[in-house]
Amino acid sequence: MLIKKLQHRMNGLAQANLLRQKWIAQSPTGTHQSIASSDQAISDNHTLFCSNDYLGFASHPDVLESLREGIDLWGGGSGASHLISGHMAPHEQLEDMLAELFSQFIPENRCLTFSTGYMANLAVMTVLGDSGCEIYSDELNHASLIDGIRLSKAQVSIYSHRDYEVLEALLQKSNSDMRLIVTDGVFSMDGDQADLSVLSDLAVKYDAWIVVDDAHGYGVLGEVGLGSIETTSRLCDRIILIGTLGKSAGLSGAFVIAHQTIIDFIFQTARSYIYTTAALPAISYALLTSLKLMHGPEGKRRRAQLRLLEGHLRRSLSTLVSEQSKFGVSITKSSSPIQGVIVGDTQRAIELSSGLHALGFRVPGIRPPTVPVGSSRIRLTLSADHTIEDIDRLIEGLQMLFKKMR
Ligand SMILES: Cc1ncc(COP(=O)(O)O)c(C=O)c1O
């Protein structure tokens, strides 16, 4: 019965073009990768426009050397959860380093690290979203924030994407003890940014706190690479910041930084912190190197290169898409290395993605529920290691495919 029921549901997904496919990378993360799918032979040397390794640190020799050294010094697994015996000196050093980096933006802060951003978001939302709390969440927030909110006991209001007038109207009506505004810093599927100055004004005016998930802003935005909050002109001190370490930092993990009482309470009560094995200490050890690079001259140089590539990609895409607008193609209003090319229905997104695959590019089609119905797209991401030539070849490929799609 169960098998039949699931087969029926899978058929439904297939009919709606919503089946997902497994790709098996045959070489390390980079701008070029050999990949295989379950039903296709290995394709060599695809140009990847889909990883979140924005600064190319997943393959930086110093980071890799540090990872090896971390294993020599600290062995393999942590052996237990943080509060049993798994919390080791590199975990603690990483938390201290991150707390210090953000001390000018988040006063009296502390930092807590997690194995993944998904778990960090579950922790923050479930711990802070108690029954006396009202959560205001942007409709395009990441799935992990949404899942954390679903698991919370808070009353939830969802506001239309970046519509802060709607948000203010909701805040005006609130009679809860505690208000939490929840937003991505850089939205993961569109690449646009939350306006943290406006949100800060609202937080002060309505006695609210702001949870910012800056998974895609951290390391990428700002002179020093501290992300969305570094680029905000009027930032209030009611910020709970989440960042991930598997994207621009090139390894894995996540952190939450906030006032020390908030962090202490998360530490004491968050189930996704307490009931899981601590990450490999070697990862934290290597992250110390990665973050030193990221917030120093090397990171700055790579961010400048990213800006250059982003500008080139956006200009080329704008020209291309203006020729296609009558066919319902548009680009997202991005200000980051994430760029969506919206084609509308699921079938077209899949066709475009497989067409690009055949031409030697890996660019995934993104469909509901990851994006709203009718806004299926391909999602491009850039790394500082891409070249202008990589982008030009991609644009040529897209031009060819758009012609065929008419
Ligand atoms: C905005 C955002 N938040 C959180 C996460 C989850 O982070 P992690 O991959 O470390 O679980 C992701 C993506 O993975 C993301 O895009």
Side-chain angles (χ1 to χ4, degrees):
M1 186 60 195
L2 176 66
I3 303 295
K4 242 186 170 166
K5 185 170 132 187
L6 297 185
Q7 272 166 349
H8 179 71
R9 284 169 68 175
M10 293 269 278
N11 291 342
L13 288 175
Q15 269 162 19
N17 295 309
L18 291 176
L19 275 188
R20 296 174 190 265
Q21 199 184 348
K22 192 192 303 193
W23 297 91
I24 306 141
Q26 308 290 320
S27 58
T29 299
T31 53
H32 293 77
Q33 204 169 45
S34 299
I35 42 184
S37 71
S38 32
D39 56 1
Q40 280 172 1
I42 293 175
S43 352
D44 278 328
N45 209 27
H46 263 57
T47 310
L48 229 73
F49 282 102
C50 55
S51 99
N52 302 312
D53 179 27
Y54 299 118
L55 300 178
F57 283 159
S59 55
H60 193 291
D62 293 359
V63 175
L64 301 183
E65 182 52 36
S66 217
L67 196 55
R68 282 187 282 269
E69 200 175 284
I71 288 172
D72 288 344
L73 291 169
W74 292 95
S78 62
S81 60
H82 283 278
L83 303 189
I84 301 297
S85 62
H87 191 73
M88 299 183 168
H91 297 121
E92 188 68 12
Q93 281 161 9
L94 178 64
E95 290 177 351
D96 288 347
M97 183 178 185
L98 282 159
E100 176 58 31
L101 277 165
F102 283 95
S103 57
Q104 56 173 316
F105 297 106
I106 305 177
E108 296 177 68
N109 78 15
R110 238 202 275 294
C111 170
L112 196 64
T113 52
F114 288 78
S115 305
T116 69
Y118 195 101
M119 291 161 82
N121 282 347
L122 288 196
V124 171
M125 299 322 307
T126 52
V127 167
L128 301 183
D130 62 20
S131 55
C133 172
E134 186 160 357
I135 288 175
Y136 303 87
S137 175
D138 189 293
E139 66 176 335
L140 295 191
N141 279 342
H142 189 259
S144 54
L145 280 176
I146 296 171
D147 290 356
I149 292 171
R150 285 179 181 162
L151 278 176
S152 80
K153 296 193 170 64
Q155 194 184 319
V156 183
S157 302
I158 294 169
Y159 59 91
S160 358
H161 181 49
R162 295 181 81 253
D163 192 337
Y164 301 133
E165 282 179 18
V166 168
L167 171 62
E168 177 155 21
L170 291 167
L171 285 164
Q172 265 163 2
K173 282 195 281 185
S174 164
N175 49 16
S176 314
D177 297 347
M178 221 288 258
R179 283 158 286 281
L180 266 190
I181 301 168
V182 181
T183 185
D184 281 13
V186 171
F187 289 88
S188 56
M189 293 299 133
D190 285 43
D192 57 343
Q193 273 181 271
D195 189 333
L196 294 183
S197 291
V198 172
L199 291 178
S200 288
D201 295 344
L202 291 176
V204 172
K205 188 167 169 190
Y206 294 98
D207 187 19
W209 283 76
I210 311 173
V211 174
V212 185
D213 173 353
D214 210 21
H216 298 278
Y218 177 59
V220 166
L221 301 177
E223 185 76 4
V224 185
L226 294 176
S228 297
I229 67 173
E230 192 191 334
T231 61
T232 301
S233 52
R234 300 185 308 279
L235 188 76
C236 69
D237 58 4
R238 296 153 163 263
I239 300 286
I240 297 147
L241 175 71
I242 297 145
T244 57
L245 300 164
K247 302 186 194 303
S248 53
L251 287 159
S252 71
F255 60 87
V256 183
I257 297 178
H259 186 279
Q260 50 200 19
T261 307
I262 297 176
I263 295 298
D264 288 350
F265 193 63
I266 295 174
F267 172 88
Q268 293 294 338
T269 58
R271 297 170 70 84
S272 63
Y273 180 74
I274 298 171
Y275 298 110
T276 187
T277 302
L280 257 67
I283 296 177
S284 298
Y285 186 88
L287 278 166
L288 298 171
T289 302
S290 166
L291 298 199
K292 257 181 228 146
L293 288 167
M294 188 154 96
H295 300 302
E298 180 68 11
K300 195 170 169 182
R301 189 186 66 70
R302 288 177 186 233
R303 279 185 289 281
Q305 177 66 8
L306 255 187
R307 294 293 94 80
L308 199 95
L309 296 168
E310 280 168 37
H312 185 70
L313 175 68
R314 262 191 276 290
R315 279 189 300 278
S316 312
L317 273 178
S318 300
T319 314
L320 178 61
V321 158
S322 66
E323 295 157 14
Q324 305 300 323
S325 58
K326 57 179 178 293
F327 303 106
V329 178
S330 63
I331 57 173
T332 56
K333 289 196 186 76
S334 167
S335 49
S336 72
I338 300 170
Q339 183 61 61
V341 180
I342 300 178
V343 292
D345 70 41
T346 51
Q347 173 79 32
R348 287 177 105 193
I350 293 175
E351 272 174 22
L352 205 51
S353 172
S354 18
L356 284 171
H357 184 83
L359 295 173
F361 301 99
R362 179 79 195 109
V363 180
I366 310 284
R367 299 156 288 168
T370 310
V371 291
V373 172
S375 74
S376 290
R377 64 194 68 185
I378 52 164
R379 173 182 182 265
L380 305 163
T381 51
L382 290 172
S383 155
D385 286 339
H386 279 120
T387 61
I388 295 281
E389 292 70 41
D390 290 332
I391 295 175
D392 288 345
R393 284 190 302 106
L394 173 79
I395 298 289
E396 256 173 53
L398 275 172
Q399 201 158 26
M400 242 171 67
L401 294 168
F402 279 146
K403 272 191 193 141
K404 272 199 212 157
M405 260 170 60
R406 283 176 199 182

